[in-house]
Amino acid sequence: MILSNDILLKKKRRFVIIIVDETQDLSRHEQVAIIIRYATKDLSPAEVFLGFYKTETTDGETLSMLIKSTLVSHGLKIENIRGQCYDGAASMRGSYKGVQARIREENHLAMYIHCNAHILNLCLIDLAKQVSYVRNVFGTLNTLHNFIGASSKRHAIFEKMYSVLNVSTCDGPKTLKSLSDTRWSCRLDALKAVLLNFQTVVSTLEDISENDAVYGSDANALLKSINTFEFLFCIYFLKNIMLLTNVLSKYLQSSSIIYSNVQSMAKETIQELCNMRCEESFNNTWNEVEILRKQYNVSSPILPRKQKIPAKLGGGLKEVENTTINKHYKINIYFAVLDNIINDMGERFEENNLYVLNCMQDILLNDMPNNNSFKEINKMYGFDEDNLKAETTILNRMYKTVHDQNNVQSKINFIASENYKAGFPTLTRLIQLFITIPTNSASCERSFSCLRRLKTYLRTTMGQSRLNSLGILQIERERSSLIDKDEVIDKFSAAAECRGRRLLLQ
């Protein structure tokens, strides 16, 4: 409570954003992590962890009541909320009974932002489900990891082959990686692990197939699945895609980024994927996989079996009869995968492309903002339209005299570094609001990692109050190091029911 009071109750926040997520701990209790986000005096975003809160149900009504009671207990007002960031669960984002809808019933200014990191993860999950070739590859990777990792004997064979073949993976993974829908970088790790250790995996499966009477048939089936040009082409091509999306994923997990940076980064990532959708890029990928095929002695590519349409549905073939191997891989795998991920990312990221945020960005970025942007900000938040226009005009003239580059973050740094906040009060309020709007709920995900370290199998009976206090001290360790220990000792001693029953610490 001392840390919580020191961070929040002594500081009045004009704009506050709530970030919430939930997970299950080792005691099978639903733990809700609540974080607030605000703008500091130097116009930079900051996030504070309020704690873990146990809940029996995760419906919209229960969670919204928990959030409101937590904010009130910390001296924060519901009417000061300007945004809320959650994942895509129905109980959180529901338009009628979700948490965001119930919060907006009491405060219409609390706009809902779908976590951008979760949006990207959903795009990759859809890619792994909707394209059959990608689905088969990830299914094979998962089966391969489970098959080798489930037995210490089979894993020992893998390690032996790794040392015998003297495979050099540099900084890459030396073991196979598992797949998960919740670990955002696991797909890239799994693809790189198999691609860099391909010869080791093949040799391991060959050894098990020849010498293991029980699981030899399973190893042989896996060997036939991966020792093909199609599998090699898919893992190499998907690795290149995941390398691009992984850069965006890591960037979206940062707590310091703002809306304009997210929009720009997502747009450029989609554009780079669009640039890959061309004959030249496909031919380069094809040639590089051909080199790998010869290096690993993989069989040459072949056309899949022609699928026939039932006679009652008209008959004929699903594919053009004279399709070449190269054209089949280009149309049915390469272009199909890129079309899926490009369209899905474009549609899903459009959800957070809110008009009011674009108006803020227009005012802060452009030399001649649109008049409708000023009207929208005045209508939504009650900012004085004339003052905002005047301050924006003067700031732009001052900024252009010393800076050539024109971006939102640079202008914010200019106002903060030159201490112009007093001269531009309305614009400063707009900047505080803009940088406070969250872009992700990754801070909650990081708090769950801390929860796993605190509540271990040996501490499953830990009380909620103790867990919450330890979580705050660990997650806010930079701030907790500033606590006056003498004050803690005095409060601890004063709380004794009977004076003198506690040891005096000198």
Side-chain angles (χ1 to χ4, degrees):
M1 288 301 296
I2 295 176
L3 176 63
S4 180
N5 291 341
D6 184 61
I7 295 174
L8 299 171
L9 298 184
K10 294 181 182 179
K11 299 179 180 180
K12 296 181 180 179
R13 304 297 176 192
R14 179 177 294 175
F15 304 130
V16 175
I17 305 297
I18 54 175
I19 304 173
V20 182
D21 204 351
E22 59 85 21
T23 189
Q24 188 181 80
D25 63 18
L26 292 177
S27 300
R28 295 181 177 84
H29 296 153
E30 291 293 338
Q31 298 286 351
V32 179
I34 301 179
I35 292 174
I36 66 165
R37 180 182 171 100
Y38 61 91
T40 61
K41 292 182 179 180
D42 60 350
L43 300 182
S44 61
E47 295 181 355
V48 175
F49 176 74
L50 297 187
F52 295 115
Y53 299 90
K54 186 172 71 173
T55 179
E56 295 182 359
T57 58
T58 56
D59 58 277
E61 182 180 6
T62 303
L63 291 176
S64 60
M65 291 297 294
L66 173 63
I67 293 171
K68 287 186 284 187
S69 63
T70 302
L71 294 177
V72 171
S73 67
H74 285 86
L76 299 172
K77 299 180 180 180
I78 304 297
E79 54 265 28
N80 287 344
I81 298 176
R82 290 297 179 268
Q84 38 187 336
C85 184
Y86 316 126
D87 60 13
S91 60
M92 305 300 290
R93 64 172 294 181
S95 301
Y96 300 102
K97 296 184 178 181
V99 172
Q100 65 94 9
R102 294 176 184 274
I103 296 292
R104 295 192 69 178
E105 286 179 359
E106 299 188 26
N107 182 3
H108 70 281
L109 297 179
M111 69 175 72
Y112 166 64
I113 304 294
H114 188 179
C115 172
N116 287 283
H118 281 89
I119 288 178
L120 178 59
N121 189 52
L122 289 174
C123 294
L124 299 179
I125 292 175
D126 287 347
L127 175 65
K129 292 180 178 179
Q130 295 181 6
V131 182
S132 60
Y133 294 97
V134 178
R135 182 174 64 244
N136 295 339
V137 165
F138 281 118
T140 302
L141 291 177
N142 194 44
T143 304
L144 184 63
H145 171 267
N146 294 337
F147 180 74
I148 294 180
S151 168
S152 57
K153 179 181 177 181
R154 293 194 289 272
H155 191 265
I157 297 174
F158 178 86
E159 292 179 333
K160 177 184 176 181
M161 292 299 175
Y162 183 88
S163 60
V164 170
L165 294 173
N166 194 24
V167 178
S168 175
T169 58
C170 300
D171 296 330
K174 296 178 175 59
T175 58
L176 301 183
K177 304 297 180 181
S178 61
L179 293 172
S180 172
D181 285 346
T182 56
R183 286 187 290 109
W184 294 332
S185 63
C186 67
R187 298 175 191 85
L188 176 61
D189 294 338
L191 290 167
K192 291 172 66 175
V194 173
L195 193 60
L196 294 174
N197 298 285
F198 190 82
Q199 192 59 55
T200 304
V201 172
V202 171
S203 300
T204 301
L205 294 177
E206 288 176 346
D207 185 279
I208 298 173
S209 178
E210 294 175 2
N211 302 318
D212 195 322
V214 179
Y215 295 101
S217 58
D218 295 335
N220 188 56
L222 273 174
L223 185 61
K224 289 182 179 179
S225 297
I226 71 170
N227 204 17
T228 62
F229 182 87
E230 179 184 305
F231 180 82
L232 196 60
F233 180 87
C234 287
I235 62 173
Y236 184 85
F237 169 48
L238 289 173
K239 184 208 71 171
N240 292 339
I241 291 180
M242 298 295 175
L243 283 172
L244 295 177
T245 58
N246 193 55
V247 173
L248 177 61
S249 177
K250 289 182 178 180
Y251 184 74
L252 293 178
Q253 296 174 40
S254 172
S255 60
S256 61
I257 58 176
I258 58 178
Y259 171 78
S260 57
N261 296 342
V262 171
Q263 293 297 106
S264 175
M265 190 78 168
K267 181 180 178 180
E268 294 303 323
T269 303
I270 295 174
Q271 185 59 50
E272 187 60 32
L273 291 171
C274 291
N275 293 340
M276 290 179 62
R277 196 189 184 283
C278 63
E279 292 280 348
E280 181 181 358
S281 181
F282 169 76
N283 292 333
N284 291 336
T285 302
W286 180 273
N287 294 334
E288 289 166 358
V289 176
E290 271 290 334
I291 295 173
L292 291 176
R293 181 190 71 79
K294 296 175 182 178
Q295 177 183 343
Y296 296 136
N297 196 26
V298 176
S299 58
S300 300
I302 58 174
L303 282 173
R305 184 179 63 87
K306 298 177 181 178
Q307 299 181 5
K308 294 183 178 181
I309 301 175
K312 61 181 180 180
L313 298 178
L317 298 174
K318 286 188 176 181
E319 296 183 0
V320 180
E321 189 171 358
N322 295 325
T323 299
T324 62
I325 296 175
N326 187 284
K327 193 173 182 179
H328 163 72
Y329 275 83
K330 180 174 62 177
I331 296 175
N332 297 328
I333 300 179
Y334 191 85
F335 284 174
V337 169
L338 285 174
D339 289 343
N340 183 280
I341 186 68
I342 290 171
N343 293 334
D344 205 17
M345 286 181 64
E347 292 176 2
R348 288 187 180 274
F349 276 99
E350 188 65 25
E351 177 183 357
N352 287 339
N353 188 21
L354 303 180
Y355 179 65
V356 65
L357 294 180
N358 289 330
C359 290
M360 293 184 194
Q361 181 174 269
D362 178 37
I363 294 173
L364 296 175
L365 180 63
N366 297 324
D367 294 336
M368 299 290 292
N370 194 306
N371 284 330
N372 292 331
S373 298
F374 292 103
K375 294 181 184 297
E376 179 66 21
I377 298 301
N378 178 44
K379 177 183 175 182
M380 185 92 174
Y381 298 106
F383 285 19
D384 188 285
E385 183 177 344
D386 294 332
N387 285 342
L388 187 58
K389 284 183 178 180
E391 291 179 12
T392 302
T393 302
I394 296 174
L395 176 70
N396 287 337
R397 292 182 64 87
M398 296 173 61
Y399 177 80
K400 288 171 66 176
T401 60
V402 293
H403 289 279
D404 294 330
Q405 59 177 345
N406 190 21
N407 60 70
V408 175
Q409 190 61 57
S410 178
K411 284 190 176 180
I412 293 174
N413 295 339
F414 175 71
I415 294 180
S417 61
E418 300 296 336
N419 198 21
Y420 288 138
K421 297 190 290 293
F424 304 97
T426 308
L427 192 59
T428 299
R429 286 179 57 203
L430 179 64
I431 292 174
Q432 289 175 336
L433 177 60
F434 185 71
I435 64 177
T436 303
I437 300 300
T439 59
N440 62 75
S441 60
S443 297
C444 289
E445 301 291 345
R446 283 189 285 270
S447 72
F448 297 152
S449 299
C450 176
L451 174 64
R452 183 63 182 268
R453 294 192 299 270
L454 293 175
K455 198 165 188 178
T456 62
Y457 286 104
L458 299 177
R459 299 176 181 171
T460 52
T461 58
M462 182 190 299
Q464 188 64 31
S465 177
R466 179 179 176 83
L467 174 64
N468 191 30
S469 299
L470 290 176
I472 292 176
L473 289 172
Q474 173 62 22
I475 296 171
E476 298 291 342
R477 51 189 174 273
E478 292 184 4
R479 293 184 175 95
S480 63
S481 63
L482 304 177
I483 292 178
D484 186 356
K485 296 181 177 59
D486 292 333
E487 182 184 355
V488 176
I489 294 172
D490 293 340
K491 288 194 174 186
F492 182 76
S493 177
E497 296 180 359
C498 180
R499 300 291 295 177
R501 294 293 297 273
R502 290 177 174 170
L503 294 175
L504 293 178
L505 303 177
Q506 301 296 335

